[in-house]
Amino acid sequence: MDSNSITMPMSDPNAWATAMNNLGMPPIGMTGQPLMPDFDPNLGMMAGITPLNPMMPGLGIVPAPLSQEIPTVKEIIHCKTCTLFPPNPNLPPPATRERPPGCKTVFVGGLPENATEQLIMEVFGQCGDITAIRKSKKNFCHIRFAEEFTVDKALFLSGYRIRLGSSTDKKDTGRLHVDFAQARDDLYEWECRQRMLAREERHRRKMEEDRLRPPSPPPIVHYSEHECSQLGDKIKDDGKFAEAVRVLLTWLERGEVNRRNANNFYSMIQSSNSHIRRLMSEKSQHEKEMEEAKEKFKTALAGILAQFEQIVSVFQAASKQKAWDHFSKAQRKNLDMWHKQAEEIRNMHNEQLMGIRREEEMEMSDDDMEDAPDSKDSEDSGVSQAEALKEENDSLRCQLDAYRNEVELLKQEQGKNQPIRSEEDNTHSQQLSFLQQALQGMQKQLLKMREELKQREAELEKSLEDKQQLKNQVQTLKEGLQNLQNTHVMQVGLSVCWINPGEVEALLSRLPCTFRQELTGVGASLEKRWNFCGFQGIKST
């Protein structure tokens, strides 16, 4: 702190009077008249006012610190045994060394040769409590104060000329030089105080960290039969499922599983797996609620958009010549502004609604791509897809017609409005451009759907042809199988006839002659037929 930061302006008579009162001198103004007539010189103070410390901040000879821009004004200070004369204000301030940390000791040089400790106490005791004075045989000393801020008050006296009483002897005069002094006691106290503050700061931070630290999780109990049975019941409870699964996971990671309790762990894992259905049902329920909320929002947005359309139509009707001519200029200006704002908000909501619809269409197309069947042999699935594509094609065609009608209506309204204004033209052009873009998008989507429909129809026809070919192949296979069965039966019969020919001849020898001749004729005819079919070497017998 610079020595010129402490000032005592003469423009404040109360502070100056208080200083002179504490020094035992009657306060006198600039004109020589006493400022306070009730001053009692015998008591050394004013009646009814308690004595104050003149070196306190804002009081006595050292007033409160002022800014650096205000010039320092130093006055004569009268003490009991000496007088202090201020230095020349034109001289530069006295130089001081860098302030040591925790400095409470000052070096005072330029003392009179006849100066005593009582004189030093009288001059510097007004700055604050002095704990020690170390006076040298030469004209300097070291003064240690009880507080650090009193050092700044002592530096205020640097540069003053001191005179003992009214003597003009050289030994009774001197020029004070006050500067900071390095003392081991001050440094030790400052280091002790810094360590104490550091300990307090560490303690405060630790308390703050302990307060903000999240609570530790409860300890996981070790495995036992009783705890296992309780955990099995908790896993089946939906409310305690999360906590129970955490305990089960800890047991598995600890390695509590062995051959004796493997069945218990298996049952608990099975119970955990049974919660998947519940979670999936909850997820589907939440998805359903989300879809309902989306649908509700879309419905509300459509209602809001319809109301905006009505408001815009009101402004359009008001802008026609029949009603427009009856409004004043200010009213027309407000109507134009309101009309523009309403159209901007309407367009914004319309774009938002169209964006929602585009997202839904994209989601539907993604679902169709994901759900497309891998096998193309199913006739029913192909027919249903073709019907769905036709329905979607019809709906897109209806939307396209609606957009075209809306464009035509806008063109007609633009042609009917006689008072043509640039803002309305811009708005209509924006609407037309938006509708044209939407129309182009719908046309592209319609063409794409038509191509997909043609592809699906071609695939359906191909599947029908494949089905007919498969039917023909099945019929051919059935006929071939029947022929194979007949051939097999014939071969079995022949093998039976050729197994025992001796028995056949013995049987024929027992028959009558007439019957034997008939059988011989039959055998001959059979031989001819079999030879014709390709069976050679068959005898008539």
Side-chain angles (χ1 to χ4, degrees):
M1 187 174 183
D2 296 337
S3 60
N4 59 356
S5 62
I6 303 177
T7 62
M8 186 177 66
M10 288 295 295
S11 59
D12 189 0
N14 295 329
W16 182 254
T18 305
M20 301 303 291
N21 172 36
N22 289 306
L23 292 174
M25 300 173 61
I28 300 175
M30 297 298 293
T31 58
Q33 300 294 329
L35 295 176
M36 297 184 181
D38 55 350
F39 178 76
D40 189 356
N42 297 323
L43 298 177
M45 63 185 69
M46 291 183 292
I49 300 178
T50 57
L52 300 174
N53 187 359
M55 304 306 288
M56 289 178 63
L59 299 176
I61 64 173
V62 183
L66 299 177
S67 61
Q68 298 291 335
E69 289 77 8
I70 301 175
T72 304
V73 179
K74 296 184 178 181
E75 300 295 338
I76 299 174
I77 300 176
H78 297 277
C79 299
K80 291 182 180 180
T81 59
C82 65
T83 305
L84 299 176
F85 297 95
N88 188 0
N90 297 325
L91 295 176
T96 57
R97 68 173 69 182
E98 185 179 358
R99 181 168 188 163
C103 180
K104 295 182 181 180
T105 305
V106 295
F107 166 81
V108 180
L111 291 172
E113 293 183 4
N114 296 330
T116 59
E117 290 188 4
Q118 289 78 11
L119 177 65
I120 297 171
M121 182 67 72
E122 180 183 355
V123 174
F124 291 95
Q126 303 177 29
C127 298
D129 297 335
I130 297 175
T131 58
I133 297 176
R134 294 188 294 272
K135 188 177 181 302
S136 175
K137 294 180 179 179
K138 296 183 180 181
N139 301 334
F140 69 90
C141 70
H142 288 84
I143 303 173
R144 190 167 190 267
F145 294 96
E147 300 293 339
E148 291 185 19
F149 67 90
T150 55
V151 174
D152 300 323
K153 297 180 181 180
L155 290 175
F156 180 78
L157 301 176
S158 182
Y160 271 81
R161 289 181 293 109
I162 184 171
R163 187 179 66 185
L164 301 179
S166 58
S167 176
T168 58
D169 190 2
K170 187 177 181 180
K171 295 183 179 180
D172 295 335
T173 60
R175 183 179 295 275
L176 298 179
H177 174 71
V178 185
D179 197 357
F180 300 107
Q182 291 183 351
R184 288 178 292 180
D185 296 339
D186 298 342
L187 183 61
Y188 177 73
E189 289 182 1
W190 180 78
E191 290 178 350
C192 292
R193 186 166 62 252
Q194 293 299 319
R195 286 193 291 268
M196 182 184 67
L197 293 175
R199 286 195 298 270
E200 291 178 355
E201 181 66 19
R202 288 196 298 270
H203 178 70
R204 186 189 64 79
R205 289 183 181 179
K206 184 176 181 302
M207 295 296 291
E208 188 69 17
E209 291 177 359
D210 294 342
R211 187 178 67 85
L212 298 177
R213 185 183 294 113
S216 301
I220 304 300
V221 297
H222 290 278
Y223 175 81
S224 64
E225 294 293 336
H226 177 68
E227 295 293 340
C228 181
S229 61
Q230 288 186 349
L231 187 63
D233 297 335
K234 289 181 180 179
I235 289 177
K236 296 177 182 178
D237 189 2
D238 296 341
K240 302 178 180 179
F241 176 72
E243 180 182 358
V245 166
R246 185 168 59 85
V247 176
L248 177 60
L249 176 63
T250 306
W251 285 355
L252 291 172
E253 290 177 351
R254 286 178 181 174
E256 300 284 352
V257 186
N258 52 37
R259 289 190 176 182
R260 288 182 296 178
N261 55 16
N263 294 329
N264 297 333
F265 278 96
Y266 177 78
S267 62
M268 288 188 291
I269 295 172
Q270 187 178 8
S271 301
S272 303
N273 185 47
S274 63
H275 281 268
I276 294 177
R277 289 177 293 178
R278 176 182 62 84
L279 297 175
M280 294 300 295
S281 64
E282 289 181 359
K283 180 186 175 185
S284 61
Q285 183 179 359
H286 290 307
E287 289 178 351
K288 184 178 179 182
E289 291 177 357
M290 185 176 66
E291 293 295 334
E292 291 177 355
K294 284 184 179 179
E295 191 67 26
K296 187 177 179 181
F297 172 73
K298 188 172 68 174
T299 305
L301 188 61
I304 292 171
L305 187 59
Q307 294 180 10
F308 272 115
E309 292 288 346
Q310 294 176 356
I311 294 171
V312 171
S313 62
V314 168
F315 283 113
Q316 291 176 356
S319 63
K320 293 182 180 179
Q321 188 175 4
K322 294 180 181 179
W324 188 260
D325 295 338
H326 298 284
F327 294 113
S328 63
K329 188 174 181 180
Q331 291 175 348
R332 292 177 183 178
K333 186 176 180 181
N334 292 332
L335 288 174
D336 286 337
M337 182 178 64
W338 295 341
H339 189 190
K340 185 177 179 181
Q341 292 177 356
E343 286 184 346
E344 289 178 356
I345 298 173
R346 190 270 310 272
N347 294 334
M348 182 179 66
H349 283 75
N350 196 1
E351 290 178 359
Q352 188 176 3
L353 184 60
M354 292 300 296
I356 294 172
R357 289 177 178 174
R358 289 195 197 98
E359 289 178 358
E360 290 180 352
E361 290 174 0
M362 290 176 65
E363 290 178 358
M364 290 175 64
S365 63
D366 293 340
D367 294 340
D368 293 340
M369 291 176 64
E370 291 177 359
D371 297 338
D374 297 334
S375 63
K376 300 180 181 179
D377 298 335
S378 178
E379 181 180 0
D380 297 335
S381 62
V383 173
S384 61
Q385 289 178 3
E387 291 178 354
L389 289 172
K390 287 181 180 179
E391 291 178 358
E392 192 170 358
N393 191 4
D394 296 336
S395 64
L396 291 173
R397 189 180 293 106
C398 293
Q399 291 180 7
L400 186 61
D401 296 337
Y403 280 119
R404 287 177 179 173
N405 295 331
E406 190 172 356
V407 171
E408 290 177 0
L409 289 174
L410 289 173
K411 288 181 179 179
Q412 292 176 3
E413 289 178 1
Q414 187 177 4
K416 290 179 181 179
N417 291 333
Q418 295 181 2
I420 302 174
R421 291 177 296 274
S422 61
E423 295 178 356
E424 292 184 358
D425 293 339
N426 294 331
T427 305
H428 286 305
S429 63
Q430 290 177 0
Q431 292 179 355
L432 288 173
S433 62
F434 175 74
L435 290 173
Q436 287 176 0
Q437 291 177 1
L439 187 61
Q440 291 176 0
M442 297 297 291
Q443 288 177 353
K444 290 180 181 179
Q445 193 172 5
L446 183 60
L447 293 174
K448 185 178 179 181
M449 297 302 294
R450 284 180 179 176
E451 291 177 357
E452 291 180 359
L453 180 60
K454 289 180 181 179
Q455 292 178 0
R456 296 293 174 83
E457 288 178 352
E459 292 173 358
L460 182 61
E461 290 177 358
K462 186 176 180 181
S463 64
L464 291 174
E465 292 176 359
D466 293 342
K467 183 178 179 182
Q468 188 65 30
Q469 291 178 2
L470 288 173
K471 286 183 179 179
N472 296 332
Q473 292 177 3
V474 168
Q475 187 67 27
T476 305
L477 290 173
K478 285 183 179 180
E479 293 175 359
L481 182 63
Q482 188 68 28
N483 295 331
L484 288 173
Q485 288 178 355
N486 295 334
T487 306
H488 181 68
V489 170
M490 186 180 295
Q491 290 177 357
V492 171
L494 289 174
S495 62
V496 170
C497 294
W498 282 96
I499 287 172
N500 294 319
E503 293 180 359
V504 175
E505 291 179 357
L507 181 62
L508 290 174
S509 62
R510 296 173 189 172
L511 293 176
C513 294
T514 57
F515 189 67
R516 188 185 304 169
Q517 293 175 359
E518 291 178 0
L519 287 176
T520 304
V522 171
S525 62
L526 286 174
E527 183 180 359
K528 291 179 180 180
R529 291 181 181 178
W530 289 348
N531 290 331
F532 178 77
C533 292
F535 297 98
Q536 301 295 332
I538 299 176
K539 297 180 180 180
S540 60
T541 56

